[in-house]
Amino acid sequence: MQHRRPPNIEGMACDTFVGNKGFGDEELRAEPKQRDVAAVIPPHANRKALIPCNFAIYRWRHLIENVFCSLKQNLRIATHFDKTDQGFAAFIGLAALRPASR
C-alpha cells in the first residue's frame, strides 16, 4: 500500500477541515484531530465503524470546488506561466477577484 502525505494545514487557522472520501483514512485524519479541528469527511461506504459526518457543512464544499474550476479556466493559471511562486500567488488573487466583481 502506498503511503500518502497527510494534509499540511500547519500554520493555518481553521475550525473545520472539509475533505472528500479520499481523506477518509485514519492516517489523513490524524493531523486535523491533533489540532482539535473538526474533520468533515464522509466515510467510505465499506467502512466497518462509521464515522459521523456533518453533511450540512459538506454540502457547501462544492462552492470551493467551483472557485478552483473557474480559476483553471484562466490559461495563465492552468499552465503556470509565472516564473515565481510570488507572482503566481498574486495572479491567483487577482483572478479570484474577477468572478466576484461580475
Side-chain angles (χ1 to χ4, degrees):
M1 181 167 130
Q2 182 181 5
H3 292 284
R4 295 176 289 187
R5 280 184 39 210
N8 187 5
I9 58 174
E10 185 177 320
M12 288 199 237
C14 63
D15 297 327
T16 307
F17 176 80
V18 181
N20 60 14
K21 289 182 182 184
F23 289 94
D25 64 354
E26 293 303 319
E27 183 181 333
L28 293 173
R29 286 179 182 266
E31 187 174 351
K33 190 175 185 176
Q34 289 172 353
R35 296 184 56 204
D36 292 326
V37 173
V40 178
I41 303 167
H44 287 281
N46 62 353
R47 190 174 183 99
K48 291 179 183 174
L50 291 180
I51 295 174
C53 176
N54 187 338
F55 285 100
I57 292 174
Y58 186 76
R59 280 188 210 113
W60 290 94
R61 182 177 171 269
H62 80 280
L63 294 176
I64 298 166
E65 295 289 335
N66 291 348
V67 169
F68 281 104
C69 287
S70 68
L71 285 175
K72 289 179 182 178
Q73 295 297 318
N74 190 315
L75 183 64
R76 185 172 175 175
I77 292 174
T79 56
H80 204 308
F81 281 157
D82 294 295
K83 301 284 183 203
T84 64
D85 290 342
Q86 199 172 27
F88 184 65
F91 194 77
I92 286 177
L94 288 172
L97 288 175
R98 194 177 83 215
S101 64
R102 288 184 185 173

